Amino acid sequence: MTVAVATRPKRVLVVEDEEAIRQTLRYNLTREGYQVSEAASGDAALASARRERPDLILLDLMLPGMNGLEVCRVIRQEMATPILMLTAKSTEVDKVVGLQVGADDYVTKPFSLNELLARVAALLRRAEMHSQRAAEPLEVEEFSGFRIDRAARTVHVKGVEVRMAPKEFDLLSLLLLNPGRVLSRQTIIQTVWGSKFFGDSKTVDVHVRWLREKFENFDQLPFRITTVFGVGYRLDRLDREPRAAEAS
Ligand code: CA
């Protein structure tokens, strides 16, 4: 089996705390022509996925700290990267839960390398076909003079850069990915701050206030962040342009 070489090598993030398995996966994936990066914990996986935007994530279910299901749920809220779940458990329940939180496929340990590699290739092929229809709609969003570039981590309003702290950017980015949907403080904390965050949910309120302050001097901002009492926050798009990203 070979990987198409017409384009850049596909990047695979391997998330597994057992070093021996990680090494085996790295060795075999590299030999197949993939560019492999590794993470040994859920938090490292999230950081790496956000930084590197891999083409596929191979995600072990049993991880120290934040487990694979939590990682999967958070990643799925932020990006469409295919996720192949790896697990020692083979009960139907785990499989269903894994697929419910957004995993695309599932391999049970002990796995056959050939089967795993075949599934990796199949998922990448499927993602490639999908991305040819909707080329990375979420990396850059631009509407009515507003622009967010998630790769460069910049925000512009009518050509003027709005500087933000990292968490402010992550919060705005998350809200923009979910226009018209209320996000609870808990969801926001888990996605923006991670499961190891021990502060209280007022942190979210403070950051939302800071975000609003950053934009208050712009007239005709094409979105509004609304407080939904007792629940959380919702970003409403005020522009009327139809967007392909929302239709798909
Ligand atoms: Ca493990």
Side-chain angles (χ1 to χ4, degrees):
M1 189 194 319
T2 52
V3 175
V5 289
T7 53
R8 64 171 173 73
K10 295 288 182 192
R11 293 161 304 171
V12 177
L13 171 61
V14 174
V15 186
E16 165 63 86
D17 57 312
E18 283 164 70
E19 196 176 349
I21 298 178
R22 215 167 60 231
Q23 297 305 333
T24 304
L25 290 169
R26 168 194 271 281
Y27 175 79
N28 286 282
L29 288 163
T30 304
R31 216 177 51 168
E32 290 290 314
Y34 300 111
Q35 196 177 314
V36 179
S37 54
E38 300 170 31
S41 73
D43 291 285
L46 273 184
S48 182
R50 285 172 178 149
R51 195 175 54 239
E52 295 166 15
R53 299 268 157 177
D55 297 297
L56 182 137
I57 299 170
L58 205 52
L59 179 60
D60 186 37
L61 180 68
M62 302 297 279
L63 293 167
M66 192 180 199
N67 73 36
L69 288 178
E70 291 173 65
V71 174
C72 185
R73 193 180 292 120
V74 173
I75 286 178
R76 192 44 79 235
Q77 285 175 354
E78 297 182 29
M79 54 192 102
T81 312
I83 297 171
L84 179 55
M85 200 83 106
L86 207 60
T87 176
K89 299 178 180 175
S90 62
T91 67
E92 198 63 27
V93 171
D94 290 313
K95 179 170 181 172
V96 168
V97 171
L99 297 176
Q100 265 174 1
V101 296
D104 297 273
D105 201 359
Y106 198 86
V107 170
T108 310
K109 290 179 190 172
F111 52 82
S112 124
L113 264 172
N114 282 337
E115 186 196 343
L116 183 133
L117 291 171
R119 289 192 187 210
V120 165
L123 275 181
L124 283 168
R125 232 177 3 249
R126 206 164 82 192
E128 180 110 28
M129 275 157 54
H130 190 261
S131 75
Q132 280 165 0
R133 291 200 301 270
E136 302 242 356
L138 300 178
E139 188 115 314
V140 174
E141 274 183 88
E142 195 160 15
F143 54 94
S144 302
F146 174 82
R147 177 185 166 90
I148 181 169
D149 183 333
R150 292 185 172 85
R153 295 182 67 86
T154 55
V155 171
H156 289 84
V157 179
K158 300 205 166 92
V160 178
E161 178 163 10
V162 183
R163 298 204 163 266
M164 339 206 133
K167 294 300 183 202
E168 290 168 14
F169 182 92
D170 292 342
L171 173 59
L172 177 63
S173 169
L174 174 67
L175 289 166
L176 281 163
L177 286 173
N178 296 278
R181 277 176 57 192
V182 182
L183 299 179
S184 69
R185 288 177 178 79
Q186 201 47 45
T187 297
I188 293 173
I189 284 174
Q190 230 187 33
T191 310
V192 175
W193 278 270
S195 64
K196 289 198 175 134
F197 177 76
F198 293 114
D200 74 51
S201 64
K202 292 228 168 38
T203 305
V204 176
D205 305 334
V206 171
H207 279 76
V208 168
R209 197 176 75 226
W210 288 343
L211 262 189
R212 284 173 173 152
E213 284 169 7
K214 296 248 154 123
F215 290 106
E216 69 189 359
N217 290 330
F218 293 98
D219 294 332
Q220 297 165 330
L221 192 70
F223 63 82
R224 177 179 51 214
I225 300 169
T226 303
T227 307
V228 181
F229 184 73
V231 186
Y233 294 97
R234 185 185 72 225
L235 181 141
D236 292 311
R237 291 273 300 261
L238 307 175
D239 60 311
R240 292 301 170 113
E241 295 166 27
R243 284 163 70 247
E246 281 177 355
S248 67

